[in-house]
Amino acid sequence: MKKDVLKILKRYRVTDGKKFRLKDYDPADTAGLDFKKKEAQELLQTGVKRLAELQDKLYAQNHWSILVVFQAMDAAGKDGTIKHVMSGVNPQGVSVASFKAPSAHEINHDYLWRVNQQLPERGRIGIFNRSYYEEVLVTRVHPEILKSQPLPQELVGKNVYDERLEDIAAYERYLSRQGTVVLKFFLNVSQKEQKRRFLERIEDPSKNWKFSGSDMKERDHWKEYMAAYNSAISATASKHAPWYVVPADNKWFTRLIVVAAMIEAMEKLDLQYPTVSDETKAGLETAHTKLLND
């Protein structure tokens, strides 16, 4: 990974939300980098290779786990980013969970219940394509969803979202204390670029399946969603569970930032392959000799 890519991570990392304002982040920003398509692809592949090396050590060491949360508006590129960034990583050490509208069974539990079932084991990377943050985003924009859930109504007061954000911050602190590294990415696409991508999905028959009428309905609530994201990031950004507000108008740049952030976080763990005892080494020597003489 080029040092200039790693250096600019600070530009998008949010660890203290007190002064955070989403409007200060440009969705089309590339931090002055101007790579040609081929060069960007080569750089991404270098990053993916390094990520695979780190994941192999993570799996072998079996101490830490990595939770990567992706949140974004429709057409921001979550699926493509996950596909390209994780393309070289051993599938055995990675899990991907997508969180859509909760089922009748899930809705009869607390909103973190279904998330707990999908947390990565030690030694693994877990990808959340949307997450528990939906409960302070979509429900905030559409309060009728929360009202329809079987919650005690006396608990659904005017401060319910502030309370949920407090709980989420505490939950992420708990995870970090249990050896789970939490990385959260908001893919910050502009309304203009979303429009272009929607039109592309409609006009290209091979992409029609990607478009849904609900996408347009959510687009009508753009301002409300931006306010909800601003509140969520402000309340839950921390050093142990940082947010990355990643410009998403240029897909090549989005992917570089995500892979660079994952590499940086994993390199800080000083991952090592486990060492074996002298007794085990002696056994390996015996087996080696026997195999050579077979």
Coordinates of all heavy atoms in Angstrom, one line a residue, residues 154-208:
E154 N -44.2 3.0 26.7 CA -43.6 4.0 27.7 C -42.1 4.1 27.5 O -41.4 5.0 28.0 CB -43.9 3.6 29.1 CG -43.5 2.2 29.6 CD -44.5 1.2 29.4 OE1 -45.3 1.3 28.4 OE2 -44.5 0.2 30.1
L155 N -41.5 3.1 26.8 CA -40.0 3.2 26.5 C -39.7 3.9 25.2 O -38.5 4.1 24.9 CB -39.5 1.8 26.5 CG -39.6 1.0 27.8 CD1 -38.9 -0.4 27.7 CD2 -39.0 1.7 29.0
V156 N -40.7 4.2 24.4 CA -40.5 4.8 23.1 C -40.8 6.3 23.3 O -41.8 6.8 22.8 CB -41.3 4.2 22.0 CG1 -40.9 4.7 20.7 CG2 -41.1 2.7 22.0
G157 N -40.0 7.0 24.0 CA -40.2 8.5 24.2 C -39.4 9.3 23.3 O -38.8 8.8 22.3
K158 N -39.4 10.6 23.5 CA -38.8 11.6 22.6 C -37.3 11.4 22.6 O -36.6 11.8 21.6 CB -39.1 13.0 23.0 CG -38.7 13.4 24.4 CD -39.1 14.9 24.6 CE -38.5 15.3 26.0 NZ -38.9 16.7 26.3
N159 N -36.7 10.7 23.6 CA -35.3 10.6 23.7 C -34.8 9.2 23.3 O -33.7 8.8 23.5 CB -34.8 10.8 25.1 CG -35.0 12.2 25.6 OD1 -34.8 13.2 24.8 ND2 -35.4 12.4 26.8
V160 N -35.7 8.4 22.6 CA -35.4 7.0 22.3 C -34.2 6.8 21.4 O -33.4 5.9 21.6 CB -36.6 6.3 21.6 CG1 -37.0 7.0 20.3 CG2 -36.4 4.8 21.5
Y161 N -33.9 7.8 20.5 CA -32.8 7.6 19.6 C -31.5 8.0 20.3 O -30.4 7.4 20.1 CB -33.0 8.4 18.3 CG -34.1 7.8 17.5 CD1 -35.4 8.5 17.4 CD2 -34.1 6.6 16.9 CE1 -36.4 8.0 16.7 CE2 -35.1 6.0 16.2 CZ -36.3 6.7 16.2 OH -37.4 6.2 15.5
D162 N -31.5 9.0 21.2 CA -30.4 9.3 22.0 C -30.0 8.2 22.9 O -28.8 7.8 23.0 CB -30.6 10.6 22.8 CG -30.8 11.8 22.0 OD1 -30.2 11.9 20.8 OD2 -31.4 12.8 22.4
E163 N -31.0 7.5 23.4 CA -30.8 6.4 24.3 C -30.2 5.2 23.5 O -29.3 4.5 24.0 CB -32.1 6.0 25.0 CG -32.6 7.0 26.0 CD -34.0 6.8 26.4 OE1 -34.7 5.8 25.8 OE2 -34.5 7.5 27.3
R164 N -30.7 5.0 22.3 CA -30.2 3.9 21.5 C -28.7 4.1 21.1 O -27.9 3.2 21.1 CB -31.1 3.7 20.3 CG -32.4 3.0 20.6 CD -33.1 2.6 19.4 NE -34.3 1.7 19.7 CZ -34.9 1.0 18.8 NH1 -34.6 1.0 17.6 NH2 -35.9 0.2 19.2
L165 N -28.4 5.4 20.8 CA -27.1 5.7 20.4 C -26.1 5.5 21.6 O -25.0 5.1 21.4 CB -27.0 7.1 19.8 CG -27.6 7.3 18.5 CD1 -27.8 8.8 18.1 CD2 -26.8 6.6 17.4
E166 N -26.6 5.8 22.8 CA -25.8 5.6 24.0 C -25.5 4.1 24.1 O -24.4 3.7 24.5 CB -26.5 6.1 25.2 CG -26.5 7.6 25.4 CD -27.2 8.0 26.7 OE1 -27.5 7.1 27.5 OE2 -27.5 9.2 26.8
D167 N -26.6 3.3 23.9 CA -26.4 1.8 24.0 C -25.5 1.3 23.0 O -24.7 0.4 23.3 CB -27.8 1.2 23.9 CG -28.7 1.5 25.0 OD1 -28.2 1.9 26.1 OD2 -30.0 1.4 24.9
I168 N -25.6 1.8 21.8 CA -24.7 1.3 20.7 C -23.2 1.7 21.0 O -22.3 0.8 20.8 CB -25.1 1.9 19.3 CG1 -26.4 1.3 18.8 CG2 -24.0 1.8 18.3 CD1 -27.0 1.9 17.6
A169 N -23.0 2.9 21.5 CA -21.6 3.3 21.9 C -21.1 2.3 23.0 O -19.9 1.9 22.9 CB -21.6 4.7 22.3
A170 N -21.9 2.0 23.9 CA -21.5 1.1 25.0 C -21.3 -0.3 24.5 O -20.3 -1.0 24.9 CB -22.6 1.1 26.1
Y171 N -22.1 -0.7 23.6 CA -22.0 -2.1 22.9 C -20.7 -2.2 22.2 O -19.9 -3.2 22.3 CB -23.2 -2.3 22.0 CG -23.2 -3.6 21.2 CD1 -23.4 -4.8 21.9 CD2 -23.0 -3.6 19.8 CE1 -23.4 -6.0 21.2 CE2 -23.1 -4.8 19.1 CZ -23.3 -6.0 19.8 OH -23.3 -7.2 19.1
E172 N -20.3 -1.1 21.5 CA -19.0 -1.2 20.7 C -17.8 -1.1 21.6 O -16.8 -1.7 21.4 CB -19.0 0.0 19.7 CG -20.0 -0.2 18.6 CD -20.2 0.9 17.6 OE1 -19.7 2.0 17.9 OE2 -20.8 0.7 16.5
R173 N -18.0 -0.4 22.7 CA -16.9 -0.4 23.7 C -16.7 -1.8 24.3 O -15.6 -2.3 24.5 CB -17.2 0.6 24.8 CG -16.1 0.8 25.9 CD -16.3 2.0 26.8 NE -17.6 1.9 27.5 CZ -18.6 2.7 27.3 NH1 -18.5 3.6 26.4 NH2 -19.7 2.5 28.0
Y174 N -17.8 -2.4 24.6 CA -17.8 -3.8 25.1 C -17.1 -4.7 24.1 O -16.2 -5.5 24.5 CB -19.2 -4.3 25.4 CG -19.3 -5.8 25.6 CD1 -19.0 -6.4 26.7 CD2 -19.8 -6.6 24.5 CE1 -19.1 -7.8 26.9 CE2 -19.9 -8.0 24.6 CZ -19.5 -8.6 25.8 OH -19.6 -9.9 26.0
L175 N -17.5 -4.7 22.9 CA -16.8 -5.5 21.9 C -15.3 -5.3 21.8 O -14.6 -6.3 21.7 CB -17.5 -5.2 20.5 CG -18.9 -5.7 20.3 CD1 -19.4 -5.3 18.9 CD2 -19.1 -7.2 20.5
S176 N -14.9 -4.0 21.8 CA -13.5 -3.7 21.8 C -12.7 -4.3 23.0 O -11.6 -4.7 22.9 CB -13.3 -2.2 21.7 OG -13.6 -1.6 22.9
R177 N -13.4 -4.3 24.1 CA -12.8 -4.9 25.3 C -12.7 -6.4 25.3 O -12.0 -7.0 26.1 CB -13.5 -4.4 26.6 CG -13.3 -2.9 26.9 CD -14.2 -2.4 28.0 NE -13.8 -1.0 28.4 CZ -14.5 -0.3 29.2 NH1 -15.6 -0.8 29.8 NH2 -14.2 0.9 29.5
Q178 N -13.5 -7.0 24.4 CA -13.5 -8.4 24.2 C -12.6 -8.9 23.1 O -12.6 -10.1 22.7 CB -14.9 -9.0 24.0 CG -15.8 -8.7 25.2 CD -15.3 -9.2 26.5 OE1 -15.0 -10.4 26.6 NE2 -15.2 -8.4 27.5
G179 N -11.8 -8.0 22.5 CA -10.9 -8.3 21.4 C -11.5 -8.2 20.0 O -10.9 -8.8 19.1
T180 N -12.6 -7.5 19.9 CA -13.1 -7.3 18.5 C -12.8 -5.9 18.1 O -13.2 -4.9 18.7 CB -14.7 -7.5 18.5 OG1 -15.0 -8.8 18.8 CG2 -15.2 -7.1 17.1
V181 N -12.1 -5.7 17.0 CA -11.7 -4.4 16.4 C -12.9 -4.0 15.6 O -13.3 -4.7 14.6 CB -10.4 -4.5 15.6 CG1 -10.1 -3.2 14.9 CG2 -9.3 -5.0 16.4
V182 N -13.5 -2.8 15.9 CA -14.7 -2.3 15.2 C -14.3 -1.2 14.3 O -13.7 -0.2 14.7 CB -15.7 -1.9 16.2 CG1 -17.0 -1.4 15.5 CG2 -16.1 -2.9 17.2
L183 N -14.6 -1.4 13.0 CA -14.3 -0.4 12.0 C -15.6 -0.1 11.3 O -16.3 -1.0 10.8 CB -13.3 -0.8 11.0 CG -11.9 -1.2 11.5 CD1 -11.1 -1.8 10.4 CD2 -11.2 0.0 12.1
K184 N -16.0 1.2 11.2 CA -17.3 1.6 10.6 C -17.1 2.5 9.5 O -16.4 3.5 9.6 CB -18.2 2.2 11.7 CG -18.4 1.3 12.9 CD -19.1 2.1 14.0 CE -18.2 3.1 14.7 NZ -18.8 3.7 15.9
F185 N -17.7 2.2 8.3 CA -17.5 2.9 7.1 C -18.9 3.5 6.6 O -19.8 2.7 6.4 CB -16.9 2.1 6.0 CG -15.5 1.6 6.3 CD1 -15.3 0.3 6.8 CD2 -14.4 2.4 6.0 CE1 -14.1 -0.1 7.1 CE2 -13.1 2.0 6.3 CZ -13.0 0.7 6.9
F186 N -19.0 4.8 6.5 CA -20.1 5.4 5.9 C -19.7 5.8 4.5 O -18.8 6.7 4.3 CB -20.6 6.6 6.7 CG -21.6 7.4 5.9 CD1 -22.8 6.8 5.5 CD2 -21.5 8.8 5.6 CE1 -23.8 7.5 4.8 CE2 -22.4 9.5 4.9 CZ -23.6 8.9 4.5
L187 N -20.2 5.1 3.5 CA -19.9 5.5 2.1 C -20.7 6.7 1.7 O -21.9 6.6 1.4 CB -20.1 4.3 1.2 CG -19.4 2.9 1.6 CD1 -19.5 1.9 0.5 CD2 -18.0 3.2 2.0
N188 N -20.0 7.8 1.6 CA -20.7 9.1 1.5 C -20.8 9.5 0.0 O -20.0 10.1 -0.6 CB -19.8 10.1 2.2 CG -20.4 11.5 2.2 OD1 -21.6 11.6 2.2 ND2 -19.6 12.5 2.3
V189 N -21.9 9.0 -0.6 CA -22.2 9.3 -2.0 C -23.1 10.6 -2.1 O -23.9 10.8 -1.2 CB -23.0 8.1 -2.7 CG1 -24.4 8.0 -2.1 CG2 -23.0 8.2 -4.2
S190 N -22.9 11.3 -3.1 CA -23.7 12.5 -3.3 C -25.0 12.2 -3.9 O -25.2 11.2 -4.6 CB -23.0 13.5 -4.2 OG -22.9 13.0 -5.5
Q191 N -26.0 13.1 -3.8 CA -27.3 12.9 -4.3 C -27.2 12.9 -5.9 O -27.9 12.1 -6.5 CB -28.3 14.0 -3.8 CG -29.7 13.6 -4.0 CD -30.6 14.6 -3.3 OE1 -30.2 15.7 -2.8 NE2 -31.9 14.3 -3.1
K192 N -26.3 13.7 -6.4 CA -26.2 13.8 -7.8 C -25.6 12.5 -8.4 O -26.1 12.0 -9.4 CB -25.2 14.9 -8.2 CG -24.9 15.1 -9.7 CD -24.0 16.3 -9.9 CE -23.7 16.4 -11.4 NZ -22.7 17.5 -11.7
E193 N -24.6 11.9 -7.7 CA -24.0 10.7 -8.2 C -25.0 9.5 -8.0 O -25.1 8.6 -8.9 CB -22.7 10.4 -7.4 CG -22.1 9.0 -7.8 CD -21.7 8.9 -9.2 OE1 -21.6 9.9 -10.0 OE2 -21.4 7.8 -9.7
Q194 N -25.8 9.5 -6.9 CA -26.8 8.5 -6.8 C -27.8 8.5 -7.9 O -28.2 7.5 -8.5 CB -27.6 8.7 -5.5 CG -28.5 7.5 -5.2 CD -29.6 7.8 -4.1 OE1 -30.3 8.8 -4.3 NE2 -29.6 7.0 -3.1
K195 N -28.2 9.7 -8.3 CA -29.1 9.9 -9.5 C -28.5 9.2 -10.7 O -29.2 8.5 -11.5 CB -29.4 11.3 -9.7 CG -30.2 11.6 -11.0 CD -30.4 13.1 -11.2 CE -31.1 13.4 -12.5 NZ -31.3 14.9 -12.7
R196 N -27.2 9.5 -11.0 CA -26.6 9.0 -12.2 C -26.6 7.4 -12.1 O -26.8 6.8 -13.1 CB -25.1 9.5 -12.3 CG -24.4 9.1 -13.6 CD -22.9 9.4 -13.5 NE -22.3 8.4 -12.6 CZ -22.0 7.2 -12.9 NH1 -22.4 6.7 -14.1 NH2 -21.4 6.4 -12.1
R197 N -26.3 6.9 -11.0 CA -26.2 5.4 -10.8 C -27.6 4.8 -11.0 O -27.8 3.7 -11.5 CB -25.6 5.0 -9.5 CG -24.1 5.4 -9.5 CD -23.4 5.1 -8.2 NE -22.0 5.6 -8.1 CZ -21.2 5.5 -7.1 NH1 -21.6 4.8 -6.0 NH2 -20.0 6.0 -7.1
F198 N -28.6 5.5 -10.4 CA -30.0 5.0 -10.6 C -30.4 4.9 -12.0 O -31.0 4.0 -12.5 CB -31.0 5.9 -9.8 CG -31.1 5.6 -8.3 CD1 -31.8 6.3 -7.5 CD2 -30.4 4.5 -7.8 CE1 -32.0 6.1 -6.1 CE2 -30.6 4.1 -6.4 CZ -31.3 4.9 -5.6
L199 N -30.1 6.0 -12.8 CA -30.4 6.1 -14.2 C -29.7 5.0 -15.0 O -30.3 4.4 -15.9 CB -30.0 7.4 -14.8 CG -30.9 8.6 -14.4 CD1 -30.3 9.9 -14.8 CD2 -32.4 8.4 -15.0
E200 N -28.5 4.7 -14.6 CA -27.7 3.6 -15.2 C -28.4 2.3 -15.0 O -28.5 1.5 -15.9 CB -26.3 3.6 -14.7 CG -25.4 2.6 -15.4 CD -23.9 2.7 -14.8 OE1 -23.8 2.6 -13.6 OE2 -23.0 2.8 -15.6
R201 N -28.9 2.1 -13.8 CA -29.6 0.8 -13.5 C -30.9 0.7 -14.3 O -31.2 -0.5 -14.6 CB -29.8 0.7 -12.0 CG -28.6 0.6 -11.1 CD -28.9 0.5 -9.7 NE -27.7 0.3 -8.9 CZ -27.7 0.2 -7.5 NH1 -28.8 0.2 -6.9 NH2 -26.5 0.0 -6.9
I202 N -31.5 1.8 -14.5 CA -32.8 1.7 -15.2 C -32.6 1.5 -16.7 O -33.3 0.8 -17.4 CB -33.6 3.0 -15.0 CG1 -34.0 3.1 -13.5 CG2 -34.8 3.1 -15.9 CD1 -34.6 4.4 -13.1
E203 N -31.5 2.2 -17.3 CA -31.3 2.2 -18.7 C -30.5 1.0 -19.2 O -30.6 0.7 -20.4 CB -30.5 3.5 -19.1 CG -31.4 4.8 -18.8 CD -30.5 6.0 -18.9 OE1 -29.3 5.9 -19.1 OE2 -31.1 7.1 -18.8
D204 N -29.8 0.3 -18.3 CA -29.0 -0.9 -18.7 C -29.8 -2.1 -18.3 O -30.0 -2.4 -17.1 CB -27.7 -0.8 -18.0 CG -26.8 -2.0 -18.4 OD1 -27.3 -3.0 -19.0 OD2 -25.6 -1.9 -18.1
P205 N -30.4 -2.9 -19.2 CA -31.2 -4.1 -18.9 C -30.5 -5.0 -18.0 O -31.1 -5.7 -17.1 CB -31.4 -4.7 -20.3 CG -31.4 -3.5 -21.2 CD -30.3 -2.6 -20.7
S206 N -29.1 -5.1 -18.1 CA -28.4 -6.1 -17.2 C -28.3 -5.6 -15.8 O -27.9 -6.4 -14.9 CB -27.0 -6.3 -17.8 OG -26.2 -5.1 -17.6
K207 N -28.7 -4.4 -15.5 CA -28.7 -3.8 -14.2 C -30.0 -3.5 -13.6 O -30.2 -3.0 -12.5 CB -27.8 -2.6 -14.1 CG -26.3 -2.8 -14.5 CD -25.5 -1.6 -14.4 CE -24.0 -1.8 -14.7 NZ -23.2 -0.6 -14.6
N208 N -31.1 -3.8 -14.4 CA -32.5 -3.6 -13.9 C -32.8 -4.2 -12.6 O -33.5 -3.6 -11.8 CB -33.5 -4.0 -15.0 CG -33.6 -3.2 -16.2 OD1 -34.2 -3.5 -17.2 ND2 -32.9 -2.0 -16.2

